Amino acid sequence: MHRILRMLRDFLFGRPKLPALEEETYPRDAAGRPDLKRFTRPLAHYTGYIDEYLVSLGTSGPTDPAWQSFAYRKSVLGQWGIIARGPSQALPYVLRLLTNPIPEGRSAAAGILDAWAADITLVPRLIGALENEDDIETLSILAGTLGRLGARAALPRLAELLRSPNSDHGDLSGSMIEAVSAIAREDFTADADPKRAADQWLREQGY
């Protein structure tokens, strides 16, 4: 609905109440993680939550902060639902989301992949995403996931990002150092000059 029409509707009839979200009632652990066993709806239900959020970020999205917050909360619940459905069902959608022109979409996809980080079969596709990404938050999540997977095949791209002239922007270099540390199984972050230490190790490995 066009924003002007929405404003006219709200003026005439009052603002509609926010609907309840079933997933917000699910029990959570001490870290705030919901019980994933409760997310039993079809995959399309959860991808719809994320798609609706991405649409809400455009010019036709809600102007009311309460509805903006509602759309964001739905997207978070959608991510949990996709995580629960697992790569066997949801990987094609998540990989498409990684190419979304909206950074929030790519960041959501990277976060889901990070939650699936125990699945070593994801490495080639994660590296492919890392090669083509430029959003710092998404790069950081992808690098962290690849680091936890011990993906040495990611080292050339990690080295390139670490040495990039913009590597200190948004602490991108910090994320690359942590990823390299995880793969090397050496804590370069404890060095007096972490970036130099990580770079030296990479050069010793031929990168």
Side-chain angles (χ1 to χ4, degrees):
M1 181 183 294
H2 193 280
R3 288 193 179 192
I4 294 177
L5 294 177
R6 187 185 299 111
M7 290 172 63
L8 179 60
R9 179 202 63 191
D10 293 347
F11 175 76
L12 293 174
F13 304 106
R15 293 178 179 175
K17 293 183 179 180
L18 296 174
L21 293 171
E22 172 192 333
E23 294 86 0
E24 288 191 325
T25 67
Y26 296 167
R28 294 176 176 258
D29 61 20
R33 181 186 176 97
D35 182 359
L36 296 183
K37 295 191 298 295
R38 301 290 188 99
F39 290 81
T40 57
R41 291 188 176 232
L43 177 64
H45 176 77
Y46 305 115
T47 61
Y49 276 10
I50 295 178
D51 293 341
E52 289 172 24
Y53 169 62
L54 296 178
V55 169
S56 79
L57 297 175
T59 56
S60 62
T63 56
D64 187 331
W67 281 95
Q68 291 173 346
S69 174
F70 179 73
Y72 172 74
R73 282 161 35 216
K74 284 183 74 172
S75 78
V76 173
L77 293 169
Q79 290 174 57
W80 284 120
I82 291 172
I83 290 167
R85 303 267 42 91
S88 62
Q89 293 185 39
L91 184 58
Y93 172 81
V94 175
L95 292 176
R96 288 196 300 274
L97 196 60
L98 267 178
T99 65
N100 194 288
I102 301 176
E104 288 85 349
R106 302 197 301 274
S107 179
I112 293 167
L113 290 169
D114 186 53
W116 291 339
D119 191 341
I120 196 71
T121 63
L122 296 176
V123 167
R125 291 177 174 180
L126 290 174
I127 292 175
L130 191 73
E131 292 283 350
N132 298 301
E133 186 54 64
D134 56 14
D135 176 68
I136 290 176
E137 180 180 359
T138 306
L139 281 171
S140 297
I141 296 173
L142 288 169
T145 304
L146 287 162
R148 283 186 285 281
L149 286 167
R152 293 185 68 89
L155 289 174
R157 177 59 171 159
L158 296 176
E160 178 185 355
L161 290 167
L162 181 68
R163 297 167 188 150
S164 166
N166 299 321
S167 67
D168 291 326
H169 180 63
D171 198 30
L172 179 62
S173 63
S175 299
M176 299 307 111
I177 293 166
E178 290 177 0
V180 173
S181 293
I183 294 171
R185 298 184 179 179
E186 295 184 35
D187 187 10
F188 299 122
T189 63
D191 193 272
D193 188 342
K195 187 173 182 179
R196 179 202 59 77
D199 181 70
Q200 180 178 333
W201 183 86
L202 285 165
R203 293 183 188 280
E204 291 172 352
Q205 306 305 308
Y207 302 107

